[in-house]
Structures are given as C-alpha cells and as structure tokens.
Amino acid sequence: MSENLYTFENETYKTAYRHTSAHILAQAVKRLYPDALLAIGPAIEDGFYYDIDSATAFTPEDIEKIEAEMRKICKEKLVLEKFELPRAEALKFATEQNEPYKVELINDLPEDAVISFYKQGEFTDLCAGPHVDTTARVKANALKLTSCTGAYWRGDSNNKMLQRIYGTCFMSKPELDEHLRKIEEAKLRDHRKLGRELDLFSLFEEGPGFPFFFPKGMVIRNELVNFWREEHRKAGYVEISTPLILNEEMWKRSGHWDHYKDNMYFTKIDDSDYAIKPMNCPGGIIAYKRKMWSYREFPIRVAELGLVHRHELSGALHGLMRVRNFTQDDAHLYMTPEHISGEIVALLELVDKFYKVFGFDYRVELSTRPDDFMGARERWDEAERLLEDALKSKDVTYRINPGDGAFYGPKIDFHLVDCLGRTWQCATLQLDFQMPERFELEYVGPDGEKHRPVMIHRTVLGSLERFIAILTEHYAGAFPLWLAPVQVIVMPITDRTKDYAQQIADALTDSGLRVETDFRSEKIGFKIREAQMQKIPYMLVLGDKEAESGLLTVRKRSDGDIGSMTLPEFFEMISAERCPY
C-alpha cells in the first residue's frame, strides 16, 4: 500500500486501520485481564468493537485503563505479522492459547481451510485481515473507547452474554473531537428520549419491539401518510390493503420460507399452518392475480401501507429504529419489458422529490446478485444492467454494493444523510423477474397471447416508524410547521384577555391549524419556556394591548419575539410552511 493511500478517503485503508484498532483493544484487555476470553472484533461504520468474555464486569474506570493501555500499544510501534496454519494446527494453536471462542470459529471452517492469524508483539489473534503494517499507524491521541454493552455470542440469546467494548478512531485529534461532539449532539437528539419528553411514542417491556404511538405522535404519522398518499396519487398509483396472515404455502412458494423463515412469526388456524407477513409482496401478488390484465392497462402501480412483523433478536432492538412490527410504505409495479427503464427513472425522480421536502441529501448504492439468488444468472445480468443504465441516464452518482441484492432481484438503495452526517438506508427499488415466474403472473399482450410481466418492488420512506425516528433526530424534535403536533399555542397574559385569546384560537382552528391554549394562572415567562421546551413552532402572546388593538404578539420557536401583526398577516406569514408539497 503506497504512502498516498494511507488516508480514510481509501475505504480499504480505513477498514484496515479500524480493524487494527480492534486488535489493539483486545491486546490491551489481555494485558490487563489475562483470563479474559476473546470472541470477535470487527471494524464497523464509525469505529470498531470487541466482544469479550471476562469475569470482570468492566466499569467506566476499567474502560479508561484499557484505553490508556491501547495508547501505549500504539506508541510501541508493534509490527503486525500474518501467518497461516492448516485447520488442524490452527485448532491446536487456539486450544493452547485457551481461546474457546476462536476454537468454535475454526471448527466452523472447512476441513481443508488454511487459516490466518495476525501477531503483534506478544499478542496473536485469529483473523482474516486486513490490517495496517504497525500499531504506530493508529494515532494514540485520536482513539476513544465509547461504551461497553452486553452482546450475546453470535447474536443468539441462547448463548452466553458477552461484554462488547465499542471504540472509535480517526487519523487526527480534531477529527476525533468533532466525531465525539456529534455523539454528544446525537444523545440530545435521541428519538427515544425526545419521544418520551414530547409524548410522541414509546416502547414498553410488555411488548418489546412493538411501538406505541400517542396522540401527538399520531399527528406526525398521519401527516406523513397524507403527504405520501397525495404524491402517490399524482404519480399514478392506486392503493390496496392485504391481510396480515397468509398460509404457510404462500411463503414457501414466494421463496421467503427458504430465505427468511428465521425472521418470521407463525400461527395455527383450523389446524393449518399460517405465517404473519414479514413482507407485503405475496399479498400484493395475490391481489394482482384476481383478474387477467391487458397490456393496455400497464404499467400498474399499486401502493400499500402494509403492517409487517419480523422477529428481531432482543439485543438488536433499538427504539423505533429496529422494531418487530412496522409499516412499510410499499409498492409493487407490474409492467411489460418495454416499460422498465421509464419506470425506474420515474422512481428515481419520486424518491428525490420526497427527500427534498425534508431537506435530506442522499447516497445511492446498486446492490448486485447475492450468493443465494433465485433464477437464471442471465436474467440477473439483464436486471443489473437496466438499473445501472437508469442511474447513468439521470447522472446519479452511485457505488456498487456487490452481493447485497434481494434473493429475487438486484436493487438500488438510497441512504439519506441527516444533519449530523449519519446515513440511513430508507428507500429501495428492486427489479424482479423471479416472483412473476414463481407465481405464474400473466397479462394479455398485443398479439392476444399470454405473457409474463416484470415486477418492481419499492419503498420511499421505508419503515414509517423508522423514518419518524430519523426525522425526530434530524429535527431534534423541532418539527417543521406542517409536521408539528401542535403548530400554534395561544397564551393570554392575564385572565382579562382570555376571551380574546379564545377568539384567536377558534379562528386558527377554523383555518385548519393545530392549536393549544394555555389559560393557566402562571407567569407568561413560564408559559413561554414550557412552550419552547415542547418545541411548538409559534407562540401568540396576548395581553391588554393586543386585545384592544386586535393584534397578535408573535414568538417563533427559532427566532424569539418577531413583533406584532394582524391575524391575516400571521396567516400570510406561515402560508408557505403549512404545506411544503
């Protein structure tokens, strides 16, 4: 690796740098706690982690000691040396090191495998790499251990709970400091915290992974759905609803049984086996098959806000970001081969339009054929070419994500970027030649004969719940006017102006705004602070002067007092904010 490639602009080097940091973490743990057993330690998006089995329950003080030892190891300039062993010798080596988790990993490898290890000083770890050449590459003043949590071995709750130490690292201290600042900002924006404080949504131990939405949260949800429905109506979609439960045979036919059954919930009805849907596509396909379509009716664009259930491990659950039931803003498009390119381009434009409303930039990935793909390789090659051609025709910058397509087709994934620079995969577009074959979908072509349609599966928001979590963090709970649960609060200064305040509140409500009044016998400063904490966009302060003149004193959440105006002037001022689409 040449010197000019030693930069985080080079993804390979960034991964190697952070992977080496994980090994430095493991070495530091073994120095301080020799009886600790090592599991796995990969590089991840913002750093690295290592799973450790130790009789010591690591405290914040222990984490500080481990971090200090890591800095020493960086300064020791230990060379990383790779060596390989046949499987039998690798097993013997890991056993002699008393590393049972490494023994288990080696046992899972083929008999004829040649297994690699990396050595740095006195420390050796089972590893496929890659790594940097020396621990000195990792800047001692630019690494930080960020947390220690529990994690089941191999993500299986039947296995032992290990301790997972997370860390992050950069190539300079200013970069680390900026990242840590963003972490602190992210804590303030945590949707779980804001969901409770603003009384929007929550999760309870009586239903882990199953979210509750409260009245104010439902306002946000319903406004998103109204926006979604209006834009889909304009784009030529019709809407359907399909059942939550379908028989098991349907899921075997669709391929989900072979590829997804470990993430599904099952039930029995009348002694027959049924599954709760993890996807909407099979139900949408049944709806398509209710009649014979003509090519003249194509393309058919069918949308569904479908509630799906997926079994997620308890350790993977995270607020609304990772749940066990959620609403997908799904759609399935049926078309002739001639329609494919035009429909893909239209979908690229639709996603772009949606994300611009929220002020999101986004990145695009083209995910190609996975190892467990269904169907003919030639069909996959054709589908990947069509997706790539559409991206190029719109001058979309994208990167290839090899092997990460759905089992039935390649896909374009959209990763939106929030105000902290974090990325979230939301929209997806999957081109599918396989499901129409498996379910024998047909239409009548111009020749009067039956033909097989092509399908596109797609979402724009993705999971409605997850998208609301992203918006909550992106806006830090200060939603734009059109999404805000309460848009205006009316606050009389004294009891003398209650009647005037009620008249103003009624006029605002009649205009379609979501309004609250605060008639409590509290000082106006206290009322303003509380309204500010509830992140209400506009506050109308009404005293004797306002009642006599028929004016409003207006405070804006972001700007404070913006002066006095008439009610028509207030309506005019907020008109553009009331509906951005």
Side-chain angles (χ1 to χ4, degrees):
M1 198 179 281
S2 61
E3 188 65 33
N4 66 337
L5 292 180
Y6 286 100
T7 163
F8 274 20
E9 295 299 312
N10 175 4
E11 287 293 328
T12 301
Y13 181 69
K14 181 165 73 171
T15 299
Y17 186 102
R18 288 178 164 168
H19 196 172
T20 302
S21 301
H23 276 223
I24 293 170
L25 165 58
Q27 185 175 13
V29 168
K30 291 294 279 189
R31 282 184 178 182
L32 296 171
Y33 309 93
D35 293 334
L37 304 176
L38 302 178
I40 57 170
I44 54 175
E45 177 69 24
D46 289 322
F48 56 92
Y49 70 78
Y50 217 109
D51 286 347
I52 296 157
D53 185 354
S54 174
T56 301
F58 296 131
T59 65
E61 293 73 23
D62 294 324
I63 298 300
E64 286 181 13
K65 283 166 52 182
I66 295 167
E67 186 181 297
E69 190 66 30
M70 289 178 69
R71 293 198 177 98
K72 284 175 56 181
I73 293 168
C74 293
K75 293 172 183 176
E76 288 172 15
K77 302 180 181 180
L78 304 176
V79 175
L80 278 91
E81 303 171 86
K82 180 180 179 181
F83 64 91
E84 295 179 336
L85 295 174
R87 184 172 177 276
E89 291 183 33
L91 276 171
K92 182 173 182 291
F93 182 75
T95 302
E96 289 171 350
Q97 285 194 311
N98 189 32
E99 293 291 358
Y101 295 100
K102 306 297 182 181
V103 170
E104 183 175 332
L105 292 171
I106 295 169
N107 273 323
D108 287 345
L109 297 174
E111 290 283 348
D112 58 352
V114 175
I115 295 160
S116 62
F117 293 81
Y118 278 82
K119 182 178 186 300
Q120 57 197 58
E122 83 288 354
F123 175 74
T124 301
D125 201 0
L126 169 73
C127 187
H131 286 283
V132 298
D133 53 353
T134 165
T135 61
R137 292 280 181 196
V138 178
K139 306 301 181 191
N141 67 344
L143 65 83
K144 180 72 178 173
L145 296 184
T146 54
S147 65
C148 182
T149 64
Y152 291 111
W153 170 234
R154 293 187 152 183
D156 187 341
S157 59
N158 295 313
N159 290 336
K160 186 172 184 179
M161 175 76 79
L162 308 178
Q163 296 182 82
R164 176 171 293 178
I165 301 177
Y166 282 99
T168 191
C169 55
F170 291 85
M171 297 196 67
S172 70
K173 190 172 188 303
E175 288 175 298
L176 173 67
D177 290 343
E178 174 60 14
H179 178 74
L180 295 177
R181 183 196 68 77
K182 286 182 176 179
I183 289 177
E184 289 306 308
E185 177 68 17
K187 289 178 183 176
L188 296 176
R189 292 170 178 265
D190 189 320
H191 73 280
R192 296 166 298 179
K193 170 178 172 288
L194 290 169
R196 290 190 301 272
E197 292 174 354
L198 302 177
D199 199 28
L200 305 176
F201 46 74
S202 193
L203 291 104
F204 300 98
E205 61 183 22
E206 290 84 354
F210 300 103
F212 285 69
F213 277 80
F214 310 130
K216 288 181 179 179
M218 285 302 297
V219 170
I220 299 168
R221 187 184 181 104
N222 289 335
E223 287 299 323
L224 280 176
V225 168
N226 292 341
F227 168 48
W228 182 89
R229 284 200 166 111
E230 177 60 16
E231 291 305 314
H232 281 75
R233 182 191 64 78
K234 292 176 187 175
Y237 285 76
V238 294
E239 188 177 351
I240 64 170
S241 176
T242 63
L244 193 64
I245 298 174
L246 294 169
N247 69 38
E248 204 172 87
E249 196 54 43
M250 168 62 64
W251 302 103
K252 290 177 179 175
R253 188 173 184 185
S254 70
H256 289 94
W257 183 265
D258 293 329
H259 297 84
Y260 214 77
K261 66 176 179 290
D262 291 341
N263 292 91
M264 294 171 66
Y265 295 110
F266 300 93
T267 187
K268 272 192 178 292
I269 302 174
D270 297 333
D271 296 324
S272 296
D273 294 320
Y274 286 77
I276 300 171
K277 67 177 179 179
M279 317 274 186
N280 297 302
C281 6
I285 288 169
I286 294 171
Y288 174 90
K289 291 190 71 170
R290 73 189 186 276
K291 58 178 279 190
M292 180 60 69
W293 301 88
S294 164
Y295 75 98
R296 296 180 188 277
E297 299 172 276
F298 279 16
I300 299 168
R301 307 180 187 102
V302 184
E304 177 177 14
L305 290 164
L307 180 65
V308 299
H309 288 70
R310 298 180 184 176
H311 178 60
E312 298 284 357
L313 296 171
S314 58
L317 299 175
H318 179 76
L320 298 185
M321 297 290 191
R322 197 74 177 264
V323 290
R324 285 172 170 160
N325 78 295
F326 58 92
T327 302
Q328 261 187 337
D329 71 314
D330 228 334
H332 297 96
L333 289 72
Y334 306 90
M335 66 202 72
T336 69
E338 291 74 26
H339 290 123
I340 294 173
S341 295
E343 290 302 303
I344 295 170
V345 167
L347 285 170
L348 296 176
E349 293 170 349
L350 184 66
V351 171
D352 184 70
K353 183 177 183 180
F354 263 79
Y355 288 177
K356 278 181 177 171
V357 166
F358 302 102
F360 286 126
D361 292 326
Y362 58 89
R363 301 170 189 161
V364 178
E365 287 182 350
L366 173 59
S367 298
T368 59
R369 182 175 57 240
D371 293 336
D372 62 344
F373 70 94
M374 293 193 315
R377 193 175 292 267
E378 297 76 19
R379 281 288 200 164
W380 277 82
D381 292 342
E382 180 186 1
E384 288 173 11
R385 178 186 60 77
L386 287 163
L387 293 179
E388 196 157 14
D389 287 349
L391 290 168
K392 289 176 179 175
S393 75
K394 294 294 292 181
D395 293 323
V396 175
T397 301
Y398 65 95
R399 74 178 185 89
I400 301 292
N401 185 13
D404 201 42
F407 64 86
Y408 47 79
K411 59 179 180 170
I412 297 172
D413 287 329
F414 299 81
H415 299 258
L416 61 81
V417 183
D418 71 9
C419 65
L420 295 180
R422 299 172 300 181
T423 59
W424 309 92
Q425 196 271 304
C426 291
T428 188
L429 183 170
Q430 302 162 354
L431 183 55
D432 179 9
F433 290 98
Q434 310 308 323
M435 292 288 177
E437 288 286 346
R438 292 179 80 91
F439 284 95
E440 299 176 341
L441 302 190
E442 294 177 330
Y443 70 93
V444 177
D447 57 2
E449 299 296 322
K450 292 179 180 178
H451 299 270
R452 192 78 73 215
V454 179
M455 277 183 75
I456 290 178
H457 311 244
R458 52 109 286 204
T459 65
V460 176
L461 304 179
S463 154
L464 203 56
E465 288 76 5
R466 187 165 176 268
F467 196 78
I468 288 170
I470 293 167
L471 288 180
T472 303
E473 298 196 359
H474 180 64
Y475 295 128
F479 294 96
L481 185 71
W482 71 284
L483 282 176
V486 179
Q487 296 171 310
V488 184
I489 186 166
V490 179
M491 300 180 288
I493 295 176
T494 69
D495 288 347
R496 292 188 301 276
T497 52
K498 272 186 178 179
D499 289 344
Y500 178 57
Q502 190 61 60
Q503 290 173 25
I504 295 298
D506 290 344
L508 294 167
T509 301
D510 290 344
S511 78
L513 287 165
R514 296 184 288 275
V515 183
E516 279 189 359
T517 55
D518 188 346
F519 288 165
R520 293 176 299 168
S521 298
E522 299 283 358
K523 291 183 178 179
I524 194 65
F526 177 82
K527 293 181 182 181
I528 289 169
R529 282 193 299 276
E530 284 215 333
Q532 198 74 31
M533 288 179 66
Q534 286 299 303
K535 304 183 186 291
I536 297 172
Y538 288 97
M539 294 153 252
L540 305 186
V541 180
L542 307 178
D544 292 335
K545 181 181 69 172
E546 287 80 12
E548 289 167 8
S549 63
L551 294 174
L552 319 169
T553 293
V554 181
R555 292 185 64 87
K556 193 172 182 180
R557 177 180 60 200
S558 56
D559 302 325
D561 190 343
I562 59 174
S564 296
M565 62 188 72
T566 65
L567 188 58
E569 287 171 336
F570 178 70
F571 284 140
E572 176 64 24
M573 182 183 71
I574 68 172
S575 60
E577 298 178 67
R578 292 183 68 172
C579 185
Y581 57 92

